[in-house]
């Protein structure tokens, strides 16, 4: 079976620090922005990746391990979803587009993912400064230095992709991924959506990934713009409720506010027939609490993804006996209730365990530093795991 992926031929992922990747699922292949989108797309690193796909279409390149893990866990991967979005861009089409050196003739963006800023009001435990300026203080507390691309006072990094160059690609775009940072806080999100509306390209897929903490940028409301598109998926990045949400994601007491925003997104999704779902990271910390979240939102869809990094949070690197116990629990719940969400959750814990031991000392050090900085307590929020810090 072919393991081809269309993304190296029609997609770029832009980060706020000007790093550019072939997609959001790998950080192993990258370049820096070079004058135009087309020149950047034909960087040697990307050309080599295309040639690797064409040389061996039966196996994914090693750098595509994130999709490999999701597919092993029987979760839909980015690769699989993009094959469905771009059925015309198959292996034969890719070969016809590719020069001998791996470059692409007349490269056009079909899928767009721009993180024009790392501006974010959250500091998720498994995130970092590259995706959230709110991490600046804790980034330094953990002994890391902030590179010159980040403002030393605010931690903000910004990348202003040449607008006129980008506009030339927008008529060809079939899918836009809005992520961050927090995209609802970014002016570039509104500029992009408004331009797509202005040129009439509103039948494309808009994929908004949000922490569900805000709905406005100044006087502009994200829902007002989303209403003008026919195919919208709203992905709520939430990994628990109440204290678990606040420890894992926000670093502050804001669950009541988030719950109110979830209600607003739920209303518009029902009114416009948008696809709304929780995009939930499954770590070993929250694996026993997700049952409460499923019960609290009985009519909502969930996409459960095993946390892949940092390793100290990943179920793949935690003690296998503990993970398998939770996996069995959710499998039993599915057998009892036939609620497919429990089956999906069980499958997300069915990851191949690495031979690498769980780095207990690193977890203790990181957690103690961040808990002190954020005035939080891992033991209070996850009492079932208190033994990990005390052991």
């Amino acid at each position: 079976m072919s393991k081809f992926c269309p993304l190296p031929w029609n997609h770029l992922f832009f980060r706020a620090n000007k790093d550019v990747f072939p997609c959001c699922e790998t950080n192993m292949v990258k370049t820096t922005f070079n004058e135009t989108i087309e020149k950047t797309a034909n960087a040697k690193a990307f050309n080599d990746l295309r040639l690797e796909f064409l040389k061996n279409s039966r196996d994914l390149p090693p750098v595509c391990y994130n999709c490999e893990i999701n597919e092993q866990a029987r979760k839909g991967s980015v690769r699989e979803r993009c094959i469905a979005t771009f059925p015309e861009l198959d292996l034969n089409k890719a070969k016809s587009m590719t020069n001998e050196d791996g470059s692409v003739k007349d490269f056009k963006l079909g899928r767009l993912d721009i993180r024009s800023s790392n501006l974010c009001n959250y500091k998720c435990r498994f995130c970092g400064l590259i995706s959230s300026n709110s991490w600046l203080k804790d980034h330094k507390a953990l002994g890391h230095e902030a590179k010159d691309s980040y403002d030393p006072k605010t931690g903000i990094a910004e990348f202003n992709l040449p607008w006129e160059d980008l506009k030339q690609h927008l008529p060809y775009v079939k899918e836009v991924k809005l992520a961050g940072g927090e995209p609802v806080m970014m002016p570039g999100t509104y500029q992009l959506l408004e331009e797509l509306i202005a040129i009439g390209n509103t039948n494309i897929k808009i994929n908004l990934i949000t922490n569900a903490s805000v709905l406005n940028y100044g006087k502009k409301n994200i829902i007002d713009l989303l209403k003008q598109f026919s195919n919208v998926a709203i992905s709520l990045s939430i990994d628990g409720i109440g204290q678990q949400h606040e420890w894992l994601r926000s670093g502050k007491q804001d669950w009541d506010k988030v719950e109110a925003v979830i209600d607003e997104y739920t209303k518009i999704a029902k009114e416009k027939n948008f696809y709304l779902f929780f995009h939930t990271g499954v770590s070993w910390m929250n694996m026993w609490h997700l049952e409460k979240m499923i019960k609290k939102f009985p009519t909502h869809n969930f996409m459960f993804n095993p946390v892949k990094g940092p390793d100290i949070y990943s179920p793949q690197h935690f003690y296998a006996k503990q993970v398998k116990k939770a996996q069995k629990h959710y499998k039993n719940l599915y057998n009892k209730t036939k609620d497919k969400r429990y089956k999906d959750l069980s499958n997300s814990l069915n990851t191949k365990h690495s031979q690498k031991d769980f780095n207990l000392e690193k977890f203790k050090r990181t957690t103690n530093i961040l808990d002190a900085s954020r005035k939080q307590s891992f033991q209070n929020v996850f009492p079932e795991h208190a033994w990990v810090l005390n052991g």
Side-chain angles (χ1 to χ4, degrees), residues 9 54 90-99 103-105:
W9 281 266
L54 297 182
D90 58 12
L91 181 60
N92 289 330
K93 177 66 174 177
K95 288 179 178 178
S96 71
M97 295 169 60
T98 309
N99 298 315
S103 61
V104 175
K105 309 165 188 174

Side-chain angles (χ1 to χ4, degrees), residues 97-377:
M97 295 169 60
T98 309
N99 298 315
E100 288 187 6
D101 65 351
S103 61
V104 175
K105 309 165 188 174
D106 191 27
F107 180 89
K108 290 290 189 296
L109 284 171
R111 187 174 189 266
L112 179 59
D113 185 350
I114 298 177
R115 319 286 173 92
S116 58
S117 170
N118 68 337
L119 182 65
C120 188
N121 56 341
Y122 272 16
K123 40 187 175 181
C124 304
R125 290 280 173 153
F126 43 82
C127 190
L129 186 58
I130 194 168
S131 294
S132 171
N133 70 297
S134 294
W135 253 91
L136 180 61
K137 176 185 173 183
D138 292 341
H139 183 81
K140 294 179 178 178
L142 290 172
H144 305 310
E145 292 185 7
K147 295 181 180 179
D148 292 341
S149 51
Y150 300 95
D151 186 281
K153 293 183 179 179
T154 65
I156 293 176
E158 292 183 313
F159 171 35
N160 296 315
L161 187 69
W163 179 242
E164 293 304 317
D165 182 37
L166 175 60
K167 282 172 65 174
Q168 297 178 38
H169 291 259
L170 294 185
Y172 304 95
V173 170
K174 292 176 64 175
E175 181 178 355
V176 173
K177 181 179 180 181
L178 301 171
E182 173 48 45
V184 181
M185 297 175 61
M186 299 178 185
T189 295
Y190 300 84
Q191 182 183 23
L192 177 59
L193 293 178
E194 288 169 348
E195 179 65 21
L196 289 167
I197 293 168
I199 65 175
N201 194 3
T202 56
N203 290 323
I204 63 173
K205 182 176 182 179
I206 302 293
N207 206 339
L208 172 67
I209 301 175
T210 175
N211 63 30
S213 65
V214 290
L215 289 170
N216 300 292
Y217 173 75
K219 295 182 180 180
K220 297 181 179 182
N221 182 281
I222 191 66
I223 289 178
D224 291 339
L225 288 176
L226 294 177
K227 284 180 179 180
Q228 300 184 58
F229 293 85
S230 58
N231 184 2
V232 176
I234 302 171
S235 173
L236 307 175
S237 293
I238 298 174
D239 304 332
I241 61 178
Q243 285 187 317
Q244 287 77 43
H245 161 79
E246 293 164 355
W247 192 93
L248 288 163
R249 286 277 180 179
S250 68
K252 50 192 171 185
Q253 296 179 347
D254 69 340
W255 173 249
D256 289 344
K257 179 182 178 182
V258 169
E259 196 170 1
V261 172
I262 292 172
D263 287 344
E264 291 299 313
Y265 279 124
T266 302
K267 289 175 186 175
I268 190 60
K270 185 176 181 180
E271 175 188 330
K272 299 290 291 185
N273 197 31
F274 292 161
Y275 183 55
L276 174 75
F277 64 102
F278 288 108
H279 188 276
T280 299
V282 182
S283 65
W284 61 265
M285 293 99 72
N286 70 344
M287 63 185 179
W288 289 109
H289 290 268
L290 294 173
E291 181 180 348
K292 292 188 298 184
M293 187 174 170
I294 289 174
K295 289 179 177 177
K296 183 171 181 61
F297 298 98
T299 62
H300 286 66
N301 296 306
F302 282 74
M303 179 184 290
F304 294 109
N305 290 312
V307 171
K308 305 175 188 70
D311 288 354
I312 56 173
Y313 302 138
S314 169
Q316 184 179 9
H317 294 286
F318 194 55
Y319 305 113
K321 183 178 179 180
Q322 300 293 325
V323 176
K324 290 182 184 301
K325 185 177 178 181
Q327 180 194 354
K328 183 178 179 180
H329 172 73
Y330 290 117
K331 184 177 181 180
N332 289 338
L333 277 176
Y334 168 71
N335 291 335
K336 181 179 179 180
T337 65
K338 300 305 177 186
D339 187 333
K340 186 176 179 295
R341 297 176 299 173
Y342 290 124
K343 182 179 181 180
D344 292 342
L345 178 50
S346 178
N347 287 339
S348 73
L349 291 166
N350 186 28
T351 58
K352 290 185 178 180
H353 268 75
S354 168
Q355 296 300 310
K356 181 180 176 181
D357 292 332
F358 174 57
N359 192 333
L360 176 59
E361 292 308 312
K362 183 178 180 181
F363 175 77
K364 284 183 177 181
R365 175 183 175 274
T366 302
T367 300
N368 288 334
I369 290 173
L370 296 184
D371 275 2
S373 173
R374 303 175 184 196
K375 297 179 173 57
Q376 293 180 314
S377 170

